[in-house]
Amino acid sequence: MNPGKNWTTPTVVPVACFISLFAAPADLAKAKDQPNIIVILADDLGYSDLGCYGGEINTPNIDALAVNGVRMTQVYNSARCCPSRASLMTGLYPTQAGIGDFTTNKPNPTRGPGYLGRLNESCATIAEVLKPAGYGCYYVGKWHMHHETGPIKRGFDEFYGYTRDHSHDQYDADYYIRLPEGRAKEIDPPADDYYATDVFNDYAIEFIQQGQKSSQPWFLFLGHSSPHFPVQAPADRADKYDEVYQRGWDVLREERFERMKQLGLIDHDRWQLSPRSIVPVDRDDIANHYSGEENPSWDSLDEERQLDLARRMAIFAAMVEGVDKGVGRIVKHLKETNELDNTLILFLSDNGACYEWGPFGFDGTSRKGETILRTGDDLRAIGGRGTHQSYGSAWANLGNTPFRLYKHFTHEGGISTPFIAHWPAGIGQPDKWIRDPAHVMDLMPTLIEAAGATYPKKLNGNVITPLEGTSLLPAMKGESLPDRTIGFDHQAAHAIRQGDWKAVYSKRMPHELKWELYNLAEDRCEMIDLADQHPDRLKQMSSDWDSWARRVGVIWERETAVNEAKTQPPEIANRSLRIEATVDASKPDGVVIAQGGNQHGYSLHFVDGKPAFDVRINGDVRRVSLDQRVEGRIRLEATLTAELMTLRAGEQEASTQSPGLIPVQPIDSLSVGFDDRTAAGDYEAPNPFNGKVLRHRIKGNDTRTKDNRSNKQ
C-alpha cells in the first residue's frame, strides 16, 4: 500500500461525539485540562532495535519523541504478547487479569482462574477507567486478549484491527475488521494495495480526528502487529537494508553496544556485552539443528545462508520503519492541530525480540520444522504476499543487545522493553534517561494520574482487583519511584526483582536448571551468577517468589492442596523410592504428590481417573500407568529401583523398566495436591488434584521416612 494514498470514505462521527458537544461548560473546562493520550505498542520489538536505543534501523520519528521526552532503561514486560497486553491494559499481573500465559477457548480447569485465557470480570481496562473521566476511547491493531472479551465489550468506542490470533498476514485485507458491528470502514484500500501496518497508521489518524471532533479528551491505543512474524513488508522498503544485514549479527551486536554507550544508555563498567545466546532446547529440526547450542557465528555460515538471513532481517527492519513512519504522521497531525503539547504519548514493546525457533527462522506454520533456503531472485520474495516466515534466534539476539535470551524467558532479554514518554505540557522536554525499575502494569496508574481518573472498586457489579502498578509520572518529573518487589512468570520461567537484586529461573536449557542471582546495579546483563556467594539472599528471594506466585495466582491451590515446600523435603538422590498415598475423589485427576521439576524428579498423579507414576531424569520422563479408572477412597503405592518402576492401586498393578535412580537432589521441592513450579511429570504444572489427599508417605532406601497426614480428612 502507498501510504501517500488516501483510501477513505466520508467519516461517520459516533453518536457519543455529538452528545459530548452539549456537555456543560464545567465539563468542557475540565476536558481542556486533561491530556489526550496515545499508547503505541510494538510487537516483538527488541530492546535495542530503535535508533534511540542504539539500533541501526531508521526510526527518526520515534527518536524525536525520545530526545524531546524521557527514556526509561528498566521497564519490564511479561515476556509474551498477550500476558503483557493483559497486564498493561489492567494495571495487574497477567494472572490477576485472567491471561497468565496465553489466550484460549478451552482453559484447563486444574490451572485456576489465573489461566482463564481471556480478561476476567475482576479487572478493569484502561478504557473502562478513562471513559467515566470523559474520554473517548479508540483502539487500532492487534487485540490478543480474546475475542469474547473484545475491545468494544471492554470499554472502547471504536476499533479497527483483529481480535483473534497472535498474528496474521499483513496483506490479507478481508481479515481485518471494524467494530462495533455494523460500522462501515472509513479506510478500505483495494486488496492489492493493502498492507496492515500502513492501514493501522491510517486508522490512528482517523480515530484521532474523530476524537478531536468530539471536543472531549481522547485515548488512542495503537497496537501494531509489526514487527511480529510473519515478517512481511513491500520489497522496495527492505532493499536499503540488505547490505546492512549482510555484515552479520556479530559485528552489528558490537556496534549497537558501542552506540548504547555513546547515547548514555549504558554504564561502561557495569554492562557487558553478553556472548551469543543459547538456542533453547527443542526438537532438532525445529531448532535448525542448534538445539541447546550457542547461536552460530556469522562467519561460520555459507554465503547463501547469509543472504537468506540478511533479507529476513531487512524485512523486519522495514516493518519497524513502517511503525516509525506512522508515528511521524501522528506527530505531524498533532502539530498541525495544535494538540501535540498536551498529548501524552507512550511508546513501548510487549516483550523481547522473538527467537522462534532456531537461528535460521522458520517458514510456513510455526513448529513444523520447515525452513526454506532462498537464493538468487527468490530472495526478494521473502516478506511478500503469500509468505509466512520468521527471522530466527540469532537476529533476535541482536534485537535484545546486550542482554541474554529472548521473548518467552524471564532473563533481561525476554522482559526488557524500550520505553519513551513525550508530553511537553506535563513533563517538559527533559531528554533524559530514567533508571528506576518499572513494569507495563504501571501504565494504568500513570494514565489515571495524568487524566484525573478514578480506579473503580466495582465495575458492572463485580469487585475489581486493586491495582498492582504504580504511577510513573513522578519519575518522569525527576522524582524516584518507591522500592517494591516485581514478580515474573511465563510457562516455567520465573524471576523476582527486589531493589538491585534479581533472582531468575530459566527453562529449555541444556544444563541443570537452578535459581540464578544477579546484582543488576553492577551486572545488568546477568553475566555473573552470585547464587553461591549469597545463598541466604537467594533462598529468601526464591521463597518470596513463591509467596508472590501464590498471591497473584501463578500457583493455584484448591482447598485440599497441601504444599510441603516450606518443610525439609526427603532426600531422593541415588535412592530406591517407595511413595504411598491415600486419596478421596469421585473422578480423580491431577497431581497427588510430586518432588522435583523439569530436569529430575517424580510424580504420582491421575490422568482422567487413571493412576500414573512418572519419573524424570535429565529431562526425560518414563511413565507407568494403570488401565482402569478408579474413584472414591483410593490407596496408591509406587516404587522406583534401579531396575523397575511399579504402580499399584487396589487390585490393579503395573510395572515397567526403570530409567535408573534419580541421580541428584532436585531443585524443586516437595508438593502435595499439585506440582509447584516446573513439572516433574509429563503434564503442565501445577496440574492440581481435584480431590482430597488424606495421607502420603515417601521412603528412600527403606531408611529415611517422611510421613504426613492432612488436617482435612
Side-chain angles (χ1 to χ4, degrees):
M1 178 179 178
N2 184 344
K5 293 181 180 180
N6 187 19
W7 308 104
T8 63
T9 56
T11 298
V12 177
V13 181
V15 173
C17 298
F18 289 110
I19 293 173
S20 68
L21 294 176
F22 298 98
D27 292 332
L28 292 177
K30 179 182 177 182
K32 290 179 181 178
D33 297 331
Q34 293 172 292
N36 303 309
I37 299 168
I38 301 175
V39 175
I40 304 171
L41 184 66
D43 199 349
D44 287 5
L45 182 78
Y47 184 76
S48 63
D49 280 329
L50 301 175
C52 56
Y53 275 76
E56 65 289 322
I57 300 174
N58 186 37
T59 56
N61 299 297
I62 298 171
D63 299 348
L65 291 179
V67 298
N68 289 293
V70 298
R71 282 168 279 183
M72 299 188 72
T73 66
Q74 296 192 90
V75 174
Y76 290 118
N77 51 58
S78 297
R80 193 91 175 266
C81 305
C82 46
S84 290
R85 280 168 173 74
S87 187
L88 185 161
M89 190 60 66
T90 65
L92 305 173
Y93 284 107
T95 43
Q96 293 174 308
I99 306 179
D101 55 16
F102 216 70
T103 55
T104 181
N105 293 323
K106 297 179 179 180
N108 184 339
T110 69
R111 299 193 69 196
Y115 298 90
L116 180 64
R118 58 174 173 80
L119 293 179
N120 62 34
E121 301 302 319
S122 299
C123 67
T125 68
I126 295 174
E128 289 170 328
V129 173
L130 292 184
K131 280 183 75 172
Y135 278 76
C137 298
Y138 306 86
Y139 197 113
V140 177
K142 171 177 172 175
W143 175 248
H144 205 197
M145 288 173 282
H146 204 282
H147 63 278
E148 290 183 2
T149 51
I152 303 303
K153 291 182 179 178
R154 295 312 303 247
F156 286 89
D157 299 302
E158 306 292 333
F159 173 84
Y160 178 83
Y162 63 106
T163 61
R164 299 172 184 265
D165 300 328
H166 54 70
S167 59
H168 194 72
D169 188 333
Q170 293 255 348
Y171 302 107
D172 185 3
D174 292 338
Y175 184 78
Y176 301 90
I177 60 174
R178 183 73 169 85
L179 295 175
E181 290 186 16
R183 271 292 188 265
K185 292 181 178 179
E186 298 90 342
I187 301 166
D188 194 17
D192 290 344
D193 291 305
Y194 191 91
Y195 180 64
T197 299
D198 289 347
V199 180
F200 290 173
N201 290 330
D202 291 340
Y203 259 104
I205 300 295
E206 168 66 26
F207 285 164
I208 289 172
Q209 290 173 331
Q210 291 187 19
Q212 289 172 326
K213 290 176 182 178
S214 74
S215 298
Q216 288 294 103
W218 44 265
F219 163 52
L220 170 69
F221 191 98
L222 175 53
H224 273 291
S225 56
S226 284
H228 193 293
F229 69 80
V231 288
Q232 292 178 316
D236 58 348
R237 301 187 188 185
D239 290 342
K240 69 179 183 180
Y241 287 108
D242 282 341
E243 290 186 5
V244 174
Y245 293 112
Q246 286 168 14
R247 300 175 62 225
W249 44 67
D250 294 316
V251 170
L252 293 173
R253 287 186 78 230
E254 293 176 354
E255 291 179 353
R256 284 196 184 191
F257 191 61
E258 289 304 313
R259 281 193 296 270
M260 295 169 90
K261 293 179 183 178
Q262 296 166 12
L263 289 167
L265 168 55
I266 68 175
D267 186 307
H268 294 221
D269 299 324
R270 299 180 181 180
W271 297 51
Q272 299 180 54
L273 179 61
S274 61
R276 288 187 298 273
S277 279
I278 294 289
V279 178
V281 171
D282 212 327
R283 203 177 77 200
D284 205 39
D285 58 338
I286 290 176
N288 305 138
H289 307 289
Y290 283 88
S291 175
E293 300 178 20
E294 188 179 85
N295 280 298
S297 69
W298 183 258
D299 290 341
S300 70
L301 306 177
D302 61 48
E303 183 179 10
E304 287 185 342
R305 180 63 69 186
Q306 289 179 345
L307 291 174
D308 174 276
L309 286 167
R311 186 63 182 180
R312 291 172 188 251
M313 184 62 195
I315 296 294
F316 177 94
M319 296 175 80
V320 176
E321 188 170 326
V323 171
D324 180 79
K325 287 183 176 179
V327 171
R329 292 178 59 200
I330 289 170
V331 170
K332 180 175 183 291
H333 175 78
L334 293 175
K335 284 182 178 178
E336 291 173 347
T337 54
N338 297 315
E339 292 202 4
L340 179 61
D341 282 358
N342 199 31
T343 298
L344 170 58
I345 303 175
L346 303 177
F347 184 98
L348 69 162
S349 180
D350 60 350
N351 43 247
C354 179
Y355 81 93
E356 300 176 19
W357 298 102
F360 304 155
F362 66 81
D363 289 68
T365 304
S366 179
R367 300 197 61 75
K368 293 295 185 183
E370 181 179 20
T371 301
I372 299 171
L373 176 64
R374 286 173 170 76
T375 60
D377 293 341
D378 289 341
L379 285 170
R380 292 192 85 248
I382 292 174
R385 294 179 184 276
T387 63
H388 192 281
Q389 297 150 325
S390 74
Y391 71 164
S393 56
W395 287 128
N397 195 194
L398 169 68
N400 295 328
T401 302
F403 301 135
R404 296 169 52 198
L405 297 175
Y406 334 82
K407 171 184 175 179
H408 294 268
F409 292 83
T410 52
H411 283 74
E412 294 293 281
I415 57 175
S416 298
T417 175
F419 184 92
I420 298 162
H422 181 276
W423 184 20
I427 62 174
Q429 296 176 290
D431 184 18
K432 68 177 181 181
W433 294 100
I434 297 173
R435 304 187 186 277
D436 299 69
H439 190 277
V440 296
M441 66 186 174
D442 298 334
L443 267 71
M444 169 74 93
T446 302
L447 300 186
I448 288 174
E449 182 177 354
T454 301
Y455 187 75
K457 293 183 178 180
K458 283 190 173 183
L459 183 66
N460 300 322
N462 301 303
V463 176
I464 300 302
T465 304
L467 281 172
E468 290 279 352
T470 189
S471 174
L472 302 180
L473 280 184
M476 296 176 189
K477 296 177 180 180
E479 302 173 22
S480 296
L481 297 178
D483 290 337
R484 55 179 165 157
T485 293
I486 304 176
F488 305 87
D489 180 85
H490 184 68
Q491 294 179 337
H494 319 314
I496 186 168
R497 176 77 189 261
Q498 295 177 331
D500 293 332
W501 291 88
K502 179 183 175 186
V504 59
Y505 191 94
S506 194
K507 60 182 178 180
R508 303 181 75 169
M509 291 291 105
H511 51 73
E512 174 76 13
L513 295 177
K514 62 178 183 177
W515 280 100
E516 304 163 22
L517 181 67
Y518 301 97
N519 183 337
L520 297 188
E522 301 295 331
D523 178 26
R524 179 69 195 281
C525 300
E526 300 171 314
M527 299 287 286
I528 305 170
D529 183 1
L530 300 175
D532 291 340
Q533 288 92 319
H534 299 277
D536 292 341
R537 180 183 291 275
L538 180 59
K539 182 178 180 181
Q540 183 61 56
M541 290 185 71
S542 63
S543 176
D544 290 345
W545 180 89
D546 186 271
S547 298
W548 166 83
R550 296 176 194 284
R551 180 178 69 81
V552 303
V554 171
I555 297 173
W556 181 61
E557 300 174 83
R558 291 191 172 188
E559 182 182 355
T560 57
V562 181
N563 178 34
E564 296 291 325
K566 297 180 180 179
T567 65
Q568 184 65 33
E571 294 288 338
I572 63 173
N574 296 307
R575 295 171 183 252
S576 298
L577 298 177
R578 183 184 187 90
I579 301 106
E580 301 171 358
T582 302
V583 303
D584 190 3
S586 58
K587 295 181 179 179
D589 193 73
V591 173
V592 174
I593 187 167
Q595 184 176 353
N598 58 11
Q599 293 297 307
H600 302 286
Y602 66 83
S603 175
L604 186 59
H605 61 107
F606 288 91
V607 181
D608 192 24
K610 300 176 182 179
F613 177 44
D614 290 3
V615 174
R616 188 187 291 268
I617 296 178
N618 294 322
D620 296 325
V621 175
R622 181 75 56 85
R623 172 175 292 178
V624 58
S625 59
L626 302 181
D627 294 333
Q628 297 179 21
R629 291 183 174 87
V630 294
E631 60 182 11
R633 192 179 181 98
I634 308 153
R635 186 175 185 277
L636 303 171
E637 181 182 300
T639 66
L640 172 69
T641 68
E643 296 79 27
L644 199 65
M645 291 172 59
T646 69
L647 176 63
R648 178 183 299 142
E651 299 299 318
Q652 293 189 75
E653 184 173 355
S655 62
T656 190
Q657 183 179 353
S658 172
L661 302 181
I662 296 170
V664 298
Q665 186 70 8
I667 298 294
D668 290 9
S669 193
L670 177 70
S671 298
V672 178
F674 69 110
D675 191 347
D676 193 9
R677 301 184 182 175
T678 62
D682 189 12
Y683 45 74
E684 192 169 17
N687 194 19
F689 184 52
N690 63 356
K692 293 182 179 181
V693 181
L694 304 176
R695 183 178 183 275
H696 64 275
R697 176 183 177 96
I698 306 107
K699 298 175 65 178
N701 274 350
D702 292 329
T703 59
R704 294 176 58 88
T705 302
K706 183 174 180 64
D707 197 346
N708 191 7
R709 293 176 184 268
S710 172
N711 296 331
K712 303 178 184 296
Q713 295 191 41

